[in-house]
């Protein structure tokens, strides 16, 4: 498991970081020793956003830190104080002053300290934070460790993160939490009626599989998470251009988010019967690759015409969702790096989600903002189902050049009939430009949100 810094005890003797807005600065300035106030003024500190200033004591050591947060108005980033985790020298620090969300500030600090160090020394952050008052440090560290795991999985290149390695990561989480794992591999997928997972993965030398983790009391409400585990996506016979393959190691980002959310739920010991389903494949090219125009059977019994082999993720998800739907869980969620159309619509920071459940939609939108894991609802627009019509099969799995994220979600919904509370997240799983608490690279989008949703709906005793 990846290592993240632990929060220090609240009582530790630590250097204060004063959170300051321009309106607060005059009063704080008056309360500082004259030399420190003069030093801050000489540095031009005014409390503007992204300003910080180290204040020396009489011996030249750091006595305090000023962090400007800017004028109130626009919704500020709850992770904003985290940027100091990478900028301050080694030491112990504590946050002081007005914090709207101390838990998010502490979590952001830990997430800012994440480094991907599998192949080179990444230089871990040495600025340690004391836990703010009235937060749950164990929960914060549980979340941070799970997000770091997801980031590690996404950041690892495909030569070291194939279907077998995705399974190994899930088995490691199972060993940590006491869960059980079943795996259906290779031609056994056909015998167990998962033909689309098999078809997508059969061209690779690395066998496709469906990984099935179970945990918790069977009498508790059933919560099922499904994650798209495409270890690498060449596009298949509809091959991607080279530029579009550069980040395809992240095409298992949905699996990474689902694994992280499952780990949080299990370590928190929520009273649910959790199931994690990850169809893990490599969309490769060989003589056995599935083709445009092929008609595939599915677990659901729906015949699927292949419109483009580069839309493979929804095929493997469809078989996994059909399995999940058979037991009608109280909550069913899938995470998938599914469409470029989602990024065109909402950009890399705001994944769309889809659901028919109005209460679930409201909860997801509210909780996403509350835990700084934002998402935005897009419509399951029924008239667009005509885009998926096929003249030779029950359905075509791509809908044409427009509304690509919506038609992908409509396709997946065909495979979920019994479950009332189902949501699909079309995530990016990558931070292209570093922001506080979010270093450039793999990201666990929507995983923290779903953990918070589960905690709210199924609180631990």
């Amino acid at each position: 498991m990846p290592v993240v810094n632990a929060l220090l005890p609240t009582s530790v003797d630590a250097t204060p970081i004063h959170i300051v807005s321009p309106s607060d600065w005059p009063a704080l300035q008056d309360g500082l020793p004259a030399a420190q106030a003069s030093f801050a003024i000489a540095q031009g500190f005014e409390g503007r956003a992204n300003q910080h200033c180290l204040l020396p004591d009489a011996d030249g050591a750091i006595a305090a830190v000023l962090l400007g947060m800017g004028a109130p108005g626009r919704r500020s980033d709850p992770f904003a104080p985290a940027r100091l985790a990478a900028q301050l020298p080694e030491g112990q620090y504590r946050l002081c002053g007005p914090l709207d969300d101390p838990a998010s500030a502490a979590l952001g600090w830990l997430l800012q300290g994440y480094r991907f160090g599998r192949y080179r020394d990444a230089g871990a952050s040495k600025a340690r934070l004391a836990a703010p008052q009235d937060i749950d440090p164990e929960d914060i560290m549980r979340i941070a460790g799970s997000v770091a795991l997801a980031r590690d999985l996404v950041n690892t290149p495909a030569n070291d993160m194939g279907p077998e390695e995705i399974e190994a990561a899930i088995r490691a989480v199972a060993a940590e939490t006491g869960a059980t794992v079943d795996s259906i591999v290779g031609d056994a997928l056909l015998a167990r009626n998962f033909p689309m997972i098999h078809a997508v993965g059969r061209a690779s030398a690395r066998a496709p599989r469906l990984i099935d983790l179970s945990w918790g009391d069977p009498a508790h409400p059933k919560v099922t998470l499904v994650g798209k585990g495409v270890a690498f996506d060449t596009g298949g016979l509809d091959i991607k251009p080279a530029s579009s393959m550069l980040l395809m190691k992240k095409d298992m980002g949905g699996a990474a988010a689902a694994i992280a959310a499952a780990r949080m739920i299990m370590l928190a010991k929520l009273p649910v019967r959790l199931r994690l389903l990850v169809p893990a494949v490599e969309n490769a090219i060989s003589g056995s690759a599935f083709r445009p125009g092929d008609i595939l059977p599915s677990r659901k019994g729906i015949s699927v015409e292949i419109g483009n082999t580069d839309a493979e993720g929804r095929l493997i998800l469809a078989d996994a969702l059909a399995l999940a739907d058979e037991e009608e869980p109280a909550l069913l969620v899938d995470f998938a790096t599914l469409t470029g159309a989602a990024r065109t619509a909402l950009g890399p920071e705001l994944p769309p989600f889809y659901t028919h459940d109005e209460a679930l939609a409201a909860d997801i939108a509210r909780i996403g903002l509350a835990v700084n894991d934002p998402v935005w609802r897009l419509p399951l627009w029924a008239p667009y189902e005509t885009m998926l019509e096929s003249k030779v099969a029950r359905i075509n799995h791509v809908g044409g050049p427009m509304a690509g994220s919506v038609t992908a979600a409509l396709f997946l919904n065909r495979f979920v009939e019994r479950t009332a509370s189902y949501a699909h997240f079309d995530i990016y799983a990558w931070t292209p430009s570093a922001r506080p608490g979010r270093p450039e690279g793999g990201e666990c989008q929507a995983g923290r949100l779903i953990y918070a949703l589960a905690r709210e709906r199924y609180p631990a005793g």
Side-chain angles (χ1 to χ4, degrees):
M1 291 297 163
V3 177
V4 294
N5 284 336
L7 291 170
L8 299 169
T10 302
S11 59
V12 74
D13 184 19
T15 302
I17 299 173
H18 296 288
I19 309 297
V20 189
S21 69
S23 59
D24 296 332
W25 171 229
L28 179 60
Q29 177 184 324
D30 290 343
L32 291 173
Q36 291 183 7
S38 297
F39 184 84
I41 292 169
Q43 299 300 309
F45 184 82
E46 297 176 338
R48 297 191 306 272
N50 300 323
Q51 275 192 311
H52 79 274
C53 180
L54 278 59
L55 301 180
D57 63 16
D59 298 322
I62 300 173
V65 180
L66 303 177
L67 175 62
M69 296 300 289
R74 289 189 311 170
R75 182 179 181 273
S76 61
D77 182 356
F79 287 172
R83 66 183 185 82
L84 289 183
Q87 297 175 340
L88 292 177
E90 182 175 359
Q92 299 179 345
Y93 300 88
R94 60 186 173 88
L95 297 171
C96 304
L99 279 174
D100 293 334
D101 189 349
S104 285
L107 175 61
W109 190 283
L110 297 185
L111 296 181
Q112 180 70 36
Y114 167 83
R115 301 290 185 274
F116 181 58
R118 177 165 178 166
Y119 302 99
R120 56 178 285 182
D121 181 8
S125 171
K126 295 181 179 179
R128 303 285 302 279
L129 185 71
Q133 295 280 357
D134 302 322
I135 71 165
D136 182 348
E138 289 187 5
D139 189 52
I140 297 298
M141 288 185 283
R142 178 164 56 234
I143 295 169
S146 299
V147 170
L149 171 60
R151 290 174 174 177
D152 271 4
L153 294 174
V154 176
N155 285 328
T156 301
N159 60 309
D160 287 328
M161 188 54 62
E164 185 176 359
E165 288 79 13
I166 294 173
E167 179 180 337
I170 293 172
R171 289 190 180 277
V173 170
E176 181 186 18
T177 57
T180 60
V181 178
D182 179 37
S183 183
I184 307 167
V185 181
D187 289 345
L189 289 164
L190 294 175
R192 300 275 292 272
N193 194 24
F194 298 101
M196 293 202 294
I197 298 174
H198 181 272
V200 172
R202 72 192 182 203
S204 174
R206 301 193 282 185
R209 62 202 64 213
L210 176 63
I211 308 151
D212 187 349
L213 175 148
S214 294
W215 174 89
D217 186 339
H220 286 158
K222 293 180 174 66
V223 173
T224 301
L225 309 180
V226 181
K228 173 188 168 184
V230 177
F232 192 82
D233 182 18
T234 65
L237 292 175
D238 287 310
I239 190 168
K240 294 178 182 288
S243 60
S244 297
M245 280 196 221
L246 287 175
L247 278 183
M248 281 301 98
K249 67 178 183 180
K250 78 172 185 65
D251 213 21
M252 42 67 65
I259 293 167
R263 182 177 184 268
M264 295 177 215
I265 289 169
M266 292 186 288
L267 289 180
K269 296 180 170 56
L270 299 188
V272 299
R273 201 286 275 141
L274 179 72
R275 191 177 194 184
L276 170 67
L277 294 170
V278 174
V281 303
E282 180 177 28
N283 189 20
I285 300 171
S286 74
S288 60
F290 75 117
R291 296 160 289 263
D294 282 358
I295 298 175
L296 301 181
S298 68
R299 181 176 184 84
K300 191 75 172 176
I302 298 172
S303 57
V304 178
E305 181 184 9
I306 302 304
N308 190 304
T309 63
D310 194 20
E312 82 299 329
R314 66 199 71 182
L315 298 173
I316 65 172
L317 285 172
D319 270 355
L321 286 169
L323 172 64
D325 189 50
E326 289 166 12
E327 61 177 11
E328 301 180 50
L331 177 65
L332 173 59
V333 175
D334 82 66
F335 308 80
T337 52
L338 209 60
T339 70
R343 257 42 69 197
T344 300
L346 297 177
E349 300 173 13
L350 191 62
F353 76 97
Y354 299 84
T355 182
H356 284 302
D357 184 335
E358 295 299 325
L360 178 60
D363 285 345
I364 287 172
R366 171 180 54 83
I367 292 171
L369 288 177
V371 301
N372 202 25
D373 195 6
V375 293
W376 197 265
R377 189 184 187 187
L378 289 184
L380 286 162
W381 186 243
Y384 285 172
E385 289 194 2
T386 58
M387 297 183 184
L388 297 170
E389 290 178 354
S390 168
K391 296 179 180 179
V392 291
R394 289 269 301 280
I395 192 172
N396 194 303
H397 86 302
V398 294
M402 296 185 181
S405 183
V406 176
T407 54
L410 288 169
F411 175 82
L412 293 178
N413 264 264
R414 291 284 188 95
F415 296 84
V416 179
E417 291 183 333
R418 303 177 184 178
T419 305
S421 289
Y422 162 55
H424 159 61
F425 291 85
D426 191 340
I427 67 174
Y428 191 49
W430 192 262
T431 298
S433 299
R435 295 178 291 134
R438 297 178 175 91
E440 181 180 341
E443 190 51 80
C444 177
Q445 290 182 313
R448 294 188 294 106
L449 186 167
I450 291 303
Y451 167 58
L453 173 69
R455 283 194 72 184
E456 181 175 290
R457 290 193 168 192
Y458 315 108

